[in-house]
């Protein structure tokens, strides 16, 4: 599994930076965002360091599918019943701030209308 010693998400995976975990297995970690845009806002990340969605290929298809399939399960477990939003920001023009692939899953009343 690849890691980047300078990546904040790799440090969270390694336990060097604390997080409020929502889910973890051998391949994925989900944790609550420290600056939430919605009442429920979790990030789902692969444990292997992949910088952006553009850096994925056919070999990542199963992992990407598992990330997407985890979203509804987590939202249900966290009490979100009226819908949620999934977002993967990619690259500078896509608004990506941390260069470790991550999917935002935001639930609750109209989470995209943060002021």
């Amino acid at each position: 599994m690849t890691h980047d010693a300078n990546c904040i998400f790799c440090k969270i995976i390694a336990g060097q930076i604390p997080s409020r975990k929502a889910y973890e297995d051998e391949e994925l970690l989900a944790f609550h965002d420290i600056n939430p845009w919605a009442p429920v806002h979790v990030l789902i990340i692969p444990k292997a360091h992949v910088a952006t969605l553009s850096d994925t290929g056919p070999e990542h298809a199963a992992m990407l599918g598992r990330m997407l399939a985890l979203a509804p399960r987590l939202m249900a477990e966290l009490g979100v019943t009226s819908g949620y939003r999934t977002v993967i920001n990619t690259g500078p023009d896509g608004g990506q701030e941390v260069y470790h692939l991550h999917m935002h899953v935001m639930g609750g009343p109209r989470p995209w209308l943060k002021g």
Side-chain angles (χ1 to χ4, degrees), residues 29-47:
L29 175 65
F31 56 94
H32 294 267
D33 195 300
I34 61 170
N35 293 308
W37 280 59
V40 177
H41 184 168
V42 296
L43 302 176
I44 300 174
I45 66 173
K47 287 187 173 180

Side-chain angles (χ1 to χ4, degrees), residues 50-113:
V50 178
T52 74
L53 185 59
S54 294
D55 295 316
T56 63
E59 69 276 16
H60 297 101
M63 178 265 297
L64 292 167
R66 289 190 69 236
M67 287 175 66
L68 198 56
L70 181 57
R73 174 181 159 189
L74 283 178
M75 290 295 102
E77 289 175 3
L78 295 169
V80 174
T81 59
S82 61
Y84 53 89
R85 185 175 187 195
T86 56
V87 176
I88 298 175
N89 299 319
T90 305
D93 288 341
Q96 187 172 4
E97 294 177 5
V98 176
Y99 281 79
H100 184 121
L101 175 64
H102 57 286
M103 181 171 65
H104 296 263
V105 187
M106 299 167 280
R110 300 173 58 113
W112 49 92
L113 293 179

